[in-house]
Amino acid sequence: MKIIQNGTLVTPEGEKKASLAIDNGKIVKIGNITPGSDDEVFDASGCLVFPGFIDGHTHLDLPVGGNVTADDFESGTRAAAAGGTTTVVDFATQYKGDTLINALNTWKKKAEGKAHVNYAFHMAICDWNERTKKDIKALRDAGVSSIKVYMAYDTALTDSEILGVLEAVKPFGCIVGCHCENGDVINMRQKQLVESGRTGTDAHPLAHPAEAEAEAVSRFCYLGKLSGCPINIVHLSTALGLEEVRKAKSQGVQVFVESCPQYMILDDSKYELSDFEGAKYVCSPPLRKAKDIYALREAVVNGEIDTIATDHCSFRFDTQKTLGRDNFTKIPNGCPGIEHRPVIMRHIFGDHLSASDYCRLMSENPARVFGMYPRKGALLEGSDADITIWDPDIKWTISAKDMEQNVDYTPFEGMDVKGRPRLVLVNGETAAENGKACDSHYGEYISR
Ligand SMILES: [Zn+2]
């Protein structure tokens, strides 16, 4: 057995000083444990012991308009492990003409044998038709319990298609997440801006007004209400959007909310940086205003935000982001973050969040919302031994020079932070030590 001693365990009942024993990839005992001579003992003195963190929104090995993300399942999950994340929920995307099962198998192949952490897939439905509808049962049987739809981009569905998805998946107990931005508004604004000569990165936030998010949040919530299906607002970024969520909740809509660290610490002044540096921060939705940052932080502390994910979607600055040097609409959208989410969240909130609250946002709620609880997301006897032993006192500086993410920058460059995982276990095996990933691949597909 492996035994973790002398740490403070963050359990569903609160923090407690106890030992934890692991056998065969599972947590087998929590309490007073006397190690035997064959046992491997880890001293977690001074550390918080969390159920491994879950990132419910990543894009690894994703092709986007002739480009592929810089991180695949090898480097992306290496980085996840290094930062303390033990499970990622990525997106399998059904392109036009494709079937859901084929899309799922395509993404499973991308990850197989390469994953340092556990992985599951949301299904992004982009071609809603009778055949897709018939496939839902097989998809559910294949372990997929969460669906994603888009209201913008070439992957967008119409409102009636989204309502069709919601009504079709509800009987299967699925949750439907949505990229809530009004695609027509964005397309119109982008065209206007480029035609008027606004081609730089500073035009990017203007093409994605907060109103376009709030309107889409409101519309999606009403579609959720009509269908009775539970819904998830992914990467909520604005105070205005948050207001729409509050309205929906007051009407009894079963709506969950995800946000990401970048929307709580970086603002849209980054798009005004010289030398095309602003391209590093081009993601959708874009970084917002200080008032949005404060509203989201307040919502996190109030418990109005259920999960924190990264929307990790990395493109190299030197060869990929530069495709949009002359036209911001051609910049591949997305930022890296899979490695730094845990420490950035500690950095932003510090003691404003208790260890238990932090655990809920980073582990427990993503496990609950995405159908993995209590196998994941909890330190309980019988749960999988995905464990992050967090040393709250290590001080370090985030830098692209010293990270596992396979990309040439991080939006959090130069931030002085505190806290780092000392040991990260995936299915009971060591996946990372002292912020560095190990070479073995212990990640498995999680059927939900
Ligand atoms: Zn995304």
Side-chain angles (χ1 to χ4, degrees), residues 57 59 148 235 311:
H57 190 152
H59 300 280
K148 165 90 173 281
H235 51 52
D311 199 7

Side-chain angles (χ1 to χ4, degrees), residues 323-369:
L323 295 169
R325 202 175 260 286
D326 301 323
N327 179 342
F328 76 93
T329 66
K330 304 273 194 299
I331 300 170
N333 274 222
C335 296
I338 200 167
E339 187 166 347
H340 299 126
R341 174 185 65 127
V343 76
I344 291 291
M345 286 300 288
R346 290 301 277 187
H347 181 69
I348 296 171
F349 292 98
D351 294 335
H352 293 288
L353 282 181
S354 69
S356 292
D357 289 338
Y358 183 75
C359 178
R360 264 192 286 282
L361 288 161
M362 304 290 285
S363 301
E364 184 179 325
N365 286 353
R368 284 185 190 278
V369 172

